[in-house]
Amino acid sequence: MKKLIVAAAIVLSTMAASGSARQPARLAKVVQPAATGMVSAADPRAAAAGVEILNAGGSATDAAIATMLALNVVEPQSSGMGGGTFFVRHDATSGKINTIDGREAAPMAADGKWFYDANGKPLPHNAAVPGGRSVGVPGQLRVMAMAHAQSGKLPWARLFQPAIRLARDGFQASPRLANALVQYASHMDSNARAIFMDASGKPWPAGTIIKNPKQAELFDRVARLGPNAFYTGGTAQRLVTTVNNAQRNPSKMTISDIGSYRAKPRTPLCGSYRVYRICGMGPPSSGGFTVLMILKQLERFDMAKLGKDSPVAWHLFAESSRLAYADRDMYVGDPDFVSVPLAGLLSRNYIASRSALISPGKSIADVVPGTPPGAPPRKRVPASETPGTTDLVVTDKAGNVVEVTTTIEGPWGSGLSVDGIMLNNELTDFDIVPDKDGYLVANRVAPGKRPRSSMAPTIVYGPDGKVRLAIGAAGGSTIIAQVAKAIIGVVDWKMSAQDAIGLGLVYAPGPMAVAESGTQAETMVPQLRALGEKIMVSPLGLKANAIERVGGKWVGAADPRSEGVAMGQDGKVTAIRRMGMAPNRPSE
């Protein structure tokens, strides 16, 4: 336990010495394979919490829950009990994969005009985010409980202890947390300001010891009494009162909305890329489908021969991304409310028809959604998502693997807080206008519906059927491109997971692509423009975590743009931020 605290403290002190989160520490990459368990997370304190649970005899599921709870304390701008989760688990004994949907849900009072103003006009996205109406019923805790019932080993209450200690005794504000306060905390309510700002309203700087006693009390109650201590009783009533009495965009949530929420087991979405099997979340996540579609459309091209430094390879990646994002915007929504033609979208003939639109020497003039078999008549509405979220990966000594992406949506969510936790703004992931040109859109608001998400927790199986890679990311709709890029890096370009995550991104969700500034992607812009790419250079809020299996051992990876680490069960930090990364905006 002391060893873990020391390891986390060393990483934090180095980050603090490096300055703000916009200037990553210049540290060399360290890779130390582990034969037993490992945790990769966006903060060293959270990784240490997961390792503590592994060393106490916990399963990968137990450690993932402890890691999520610790992230709620030390990275509150990105995720927590006030948000939602997608959970993907590989079972080492059966070889099966199971997925759990803990996406937030709209109140039963929500309708197609949920985000319209008093004059009957749709609110701009940024105006819809702050306040109560953007808050969906949180799902993270229900996912934790379902996962623990399925594959937990340690007592439920034990998993909360690392997070309770951090919240009660205090934790050091990291540079990234401090930066997120300066940039994004203007819409925080008074309760959150009392935790994260001084008496004059100035955000606490990096290095400040922050305590959150209300959060510690909430975690203690849930640890002792179970999830219903959150979904019923005083906390639930305070949540409803907070969102319904919000100064901006008050909601119409009820106690029944909170108490009736359930996590849902979903059928995993699996497909192939070359000789690898790719598995992830199905709808309401669009991540699993869109990652698969990007990869499948590129399968006919020799990406390995082109290599990571080829402008043509990145042009092909951008074109495939545009086609996949167009179809996801058109067709993907909550499958309990809309028909999602997944079989048609991923059918051999449809993929071939979409891939045939991609040319190595020119760009598609006008990217539009296709018409897959079984597709209902719809109109596309381009997504509007705020970069945020966090990701974590855990393996245990038995070989079980858990990949989790979890979020409160944008930085600091809705700005509202209850019992020391931030509440999400997840409902602004819905399309605000419910129809277009006389057609209902797939991702429109409806009572009890879950908004479409880009989160893409993914497990990749090698030709031998064993887990080769588990990966996920944060950063709004860039998540999909980050995961697809990293898989190509590992599979085609034979990169380590660490190097594949660190590789600069060309992000193309629509006609205009973005080359990540300060990376190899920026240097290719003239050649990409010569191929017809409309492309700009900009920082991107990227943040990914992964664990791969190499030579029978686990090797961790964490995004060099972030404060993330991978930590082996022996407490050794196996991946930390490394040299040469350009300044980048935070993904929170």
Side-chain angles (χ1 to χ4, degrees):
M1 177 42 190
K2 289 183 179 179
K3 183 191 294 185
L4 301 181
I5 294 173
V6 169
I10 289 172
V11 176
L12 280 171
S13 62
T14 309
M15 291 189 298
S18 73
S20 77
R22 296 176 65 84
Q23 295 177 328
R26 297 179 63 81
L27 296 173
K29 180 180 66 175
V30 179
V31 177
Q32 297 170 331
T36 55
M38 181 172 285
V39 181
S40 178
D43 186 282
R45 283 83 54 99
V51 169
E52 176 185 328
I53 295 302
L54 289 176
N55 284 328
S59 65
T61 294
D62 292 329
I65 292 170
T67 303
M68 277 191 275
L69 290 166
L71 284 167
N72 194 165
V73 181
V74 300
E75 200 190 33
Q77 72 273 28
S78 293
S79 69
M81 205 174 284
T85 299
F86 288 136
F87 180 98
V88 178
R89 178 181 179 270
H90 161 80
D91 185 274
T93 302
S94 67
K96 293 182 179 179
I97 189 166
N98 73 289
T99 61
I100 304 175
D101 165 14
R103 186 69 163 153
E104 300 87 337
M108 295 307 293
D111 58 17
K113 300 298 179 69
W114 188 247
F115 289 114
Y116 279 52
D117 64 19
N119 297 317
K121 301 293 184 181
L123 292 170
H125 183 268
N126 288 344
V129 168
R133 198 157 294 193
S134 66
V135 179
V137 180
Q140 188 192 74
L141 187 58
R142 288 294 191 201
V143 169
M144 291 178 181
M146 179 175 285
H148 184 257
Q150 292 174 349
S151 50
K153 289 176 64 179
L154 294 181
W156 170 257
R158 176 67 180 89
L159 312 182
F160 285 73
Q161 300 315 304
I164 290 172
R165 289 196 306 268
L166 285 166
R168 181 192 63 215
D169 302 338
F171 64 95
Q172 188 181 77
S174 72
R176 202 174 187 91
L177 171 57
N179 192 48
L181 282 168
V182 170
Q183 290 196 35
Y184 301 111
S186 59
H187 67 299
M188 272 186 173
D189 65 16
S190 58
N191 291 327
R193 287 173 177 269
I195 300 167
F196 298 107
M197 299 182 183
D198 65 19
S200 67
K202 184 178 179 180
W204 292 119
T208 303
I209 300 300
I210 296 176
K211 296 183 179 182
N212 194 340
K214 288 186 178 180
Q215 185 182 53
E217 291 170 6
L218 171 62
F219 284 8
D220 179 69
R221 282 199 305 277
V222 174
R224 289 184 291 105
L225 303 176
N228 284 342
F230 179 87
Y231 287 94
T232 62
T235 296
Q237 183 59 64
R238 286 187 289 275
L239 196 162
V240 168
T241 300
T242 296
V243 299
N244 290 351
N245 293 337
Q247 289 185 351
R248 297 186 65 177
N249 302 323
S251 183
K252 298 176 183 178
M253 191 176 288
T254 67
I255 287 290
S256 178
D257 290 326
I258 305 291
S260 62
Y261 181 91
R262 296 293 182 268
K264 296 183 179 183
R266 297 286 190 184
T267 301
L269 181 62
C270 294
S272 64
Y273 178 59
R274 309 202 192 281
V275 295
Y276 293 80
R277 182 170 175 246
I278 317 293
C279 290
M281 288 294 310
S285 169
S286 68
F289 151 72
T290 316
V291 167
L292 267 176
M293 195 165 190
I294 290 171
L295 296 174
K296 294 297 290 182
Q297 290 167 167
L298 291 174
E299 204 164 23
R300 70 184 180 91
F301 298 100
D302 193 343
M303 297 295 284
K305 184 177 180 180
L306 287 168
K308 66 179 178 64
D309 298 317
S310 165
V312 172
W314 287 101
H315 161 66
L316 295 173
F317 182 81
E319 292 285 86
S320 188
S321 297
R322 291 186 179 96
L323 292 168
Y325 276 98
D327 278 352
R328 93 76 194 242
D329 291 350
M330 176 76 108
Y331 295 115
V332 180
D334 185 338
D336 295 335
F337 288 77
V338 297
S339 174
V340 183
L342 283 179
L345 287 163
L346 294 172
S347 65
R348 183 189 301 271
N349 289 342
Y350 183 71
I351 291 290
S353 71
R354 297 293 275 172
S355 179
L357 300 173
I358 303 172
S359 168
K362 63 179 182 179
S363 291
I364 303 169
D366 184 22
V367 174
V368 296
T371 307
R378 292 214 181 104
K379 288 289 184 176
R380 179 193 182 192
V381 178
S384 180
E385 298 175 63
T386 307
T389 309
T390 198
D391 187 82
L392 58 108
V393 195
V394 181
T395 63
D396 61 27
K397 64 182 180 181
N400 301 301
V401 180
V402 171
E403 223 297 340
V404 173
T405 311
T406 184
T407 187
I408 56 169
E409 176 59 353
W412 305 106
S414 63
L416 302 177
S417 64
V418 170
D419 291 356
I421 62 169
M422 302 304 302
L423 299 179
N424 68 85
N425 66 290
E426 225 51 76
L427 299 190
T428 49
D429 270 357
F430 281 120
D431 296 325
I432 288 176
V433 178
D435 54 72
K436 184 177 181 181
D437 300 332
Y439 293 92
L440 291 173
V441 300
N443 191 41
R444 63 189 179 275
V445 183
K449 190 177 180 181
R450 303 180 183 204
R452 182 179 60 214
S453 169
S454 292
M455 295 191 291
T458 303
I459 295 179
V460 179
Y461 294 86
D464 58 1
K466 296 180 179 179
V467 173
R468 173 67 180 86
L469 173 72
I471 184 168
S477 62
T478 69
I479 290 171
I480 293 163
Q482 289 182 71
V483 171
K485 176 260 295 184
I487 292 173
I488 291 169
V490 170
V491 169
D492 291 317
W493 298 332
K494 307 306 179 187
M495 303 175 76
S496 69
Q498 179 69 33
D499 289 338
I501 285 174
L503 195 62
L505 180 66
V506 174
Y507 167 59
M512 178 63 71
V514 180
E516 185 182 4
S517 59
T519 70
Q520 92 294 336
E522 182 176 0
T523 66
M524 297 180 189
V525 167
Q527 296 98 316
L528 290 168
R529 285 176 176 156
L531 292 168
E533 288 287 339
K534 297 177 181 178
I535 190 164
M536 59 184 287
V537 176
S538 176
L540 290 169
L542 309 184
K543 185 174 68 175
N545 293 86
I547 294 177
E548 61 177 332
R549 193 164 185 85
V550 181
K553 293 187 176 182
W554 299 112
V555 180
D559 203 311
R561 305 165 185 83
S562 76
E563 294 168 349
V565 301
M567 186 179 290
Q569 200 167 336
D570 58 2
K572 293 180 180 178
V573 174
T574 64
I576 54 179
R577 296 190 302 168
R578 58 195 174 99
M579 299 175 66
M581 290 307 299
N584 206 346
R585 74 185 184 200
S587 62
E588 283 82 34

